[in-house]
């Protein structure tokens, strides 16, 4: 098989959306939220220098990091094209703390040849110490592209040989953890407060992972989120009489309201019962809960 060396964005897709929370699973460790790195000033200076001196055309066509008009999504789509062409072996190298450990004397010397700004060069030199690169062996490998993570995404191959995009298992795990935190059945928060935080998070997450080609997983996650919200609402109502009254107020059939109220302490069990005919998809739409699917 042929192999391809593909440069991924150095910023690891740290993206935010105007309507969304900071994106999950897109930081360099692909956990949940982008890191607030106090040492990020050096990265910003480099981006400014590249833009000011217009040296972007000298970059490799396969490079996506720190480049105007390029995003993490572009890198994911490029990787998918390579794999679809038959390049199934990837050299995946993670440089641990690259901007902290790179030999800054060499880096600044090369930048000086292209960036005509002595003041910026002096500032960069003060920011950087002379260190050496170190490969993060736990995150590096020469292996099949299937099963590796690409900026929170994973690639898989359908029965017809078509290469498709999905959310990586680790990113999905982090997503579920965050949803559990936001929809926990304790904390004394109103449904409106929970939905507001959930909305911001879901919009940001959906905005980044919109390239995923797994609609069934999206529908499954939507149903799971709504079930957690139903269980949370039932616990807030707590008593059988309150559950019955609130369900009737929402237009429930008396038999449905009575059957749910009879098991008032079994919140998770009830969240999958006839209550879904009252706290429907449309009900959560009206509350402002975004759908992933």
């Amino acid at each position: 098989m042929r192999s391809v060396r593909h440069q991924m964005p150095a910023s690891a897709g740290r993206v935010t959306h105007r309507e969304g929370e900071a994106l999950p699973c897109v930081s360099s460790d692909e956990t949940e939220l982008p890191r607030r790195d106090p040492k990020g000033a050096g990265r910003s200076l480099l981006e400014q220098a590249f833009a000011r001196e217009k040296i972007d055309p000298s970059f490799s066509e396969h490079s996506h990091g720190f480049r105007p008009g390029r995003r993490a999504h572009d890198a994911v789509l490029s990787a998918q094209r390579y794999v679809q062409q038959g390049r199934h072996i990837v050299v995946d190298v993670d440089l641990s703390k690259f901007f902290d450990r790179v030999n800054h004397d060499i880096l600044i010397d090369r930048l000086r040849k292209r960036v005509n700004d002595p003041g910026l060069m002096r500032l960069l030199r003060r920011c950087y110490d002379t260190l050496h690169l170190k490969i993060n062996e736990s995150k590096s490998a020469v292996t099949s592209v299937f099963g590796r993570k690409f900026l929170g995404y994973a690639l898989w191959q359908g029965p017809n040989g078509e290469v498709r995009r999905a959310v990586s298992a680790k990113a999905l795990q982090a997503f579920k953890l965050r949803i559990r935190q936001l929809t926990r059945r304790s904390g004394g928060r109103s449904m409106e407060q929970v939905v507001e935080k959930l909305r911001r998070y879901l919009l940001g997450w959906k905005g980044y992972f919109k390239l995923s080609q797994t609609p069934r997983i999206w529908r499954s996650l939507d149903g799971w989120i709504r079930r957690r919200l139903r269980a949370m609402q039932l616990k807030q109502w707590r008593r059988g009489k309150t559950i019955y009254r609130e369900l009737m107020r929402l237009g429930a059939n008396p038999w449905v309201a009575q059957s749910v109220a009879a098991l008032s302490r079994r919140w998770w069990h009830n969240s999958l019962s006839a209550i879904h005919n009252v706290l429907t998809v449309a009900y959560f739409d009206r509350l402002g809960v975004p759908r992933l699917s």
Side-chain angles (χ1 to χ4, degrees), residues 32 176-184 189 228:
E32 186 198 343
K176 289 184 175 181
L177 175 62
R178 182 58 176 153
I179 294 299
R180 289 187 178 98
Q181 293 170 345
L182 291 172
T183 59
R184 65 188 186 276
R189 301 155 300 151
R228 290 193 60 84

Side-chain angles (χ1 to χ4, degrees), residues 74-89:
D74 300 319
V76 172
L77 293 172
S78 294
Q80 183 185 22
R81 284 194 297 270
Y82 291 137
V83 177
Q84 190 66 68
Q85 293 167 5
R87 298 178 169 100
H88 293 171
I89 303 299

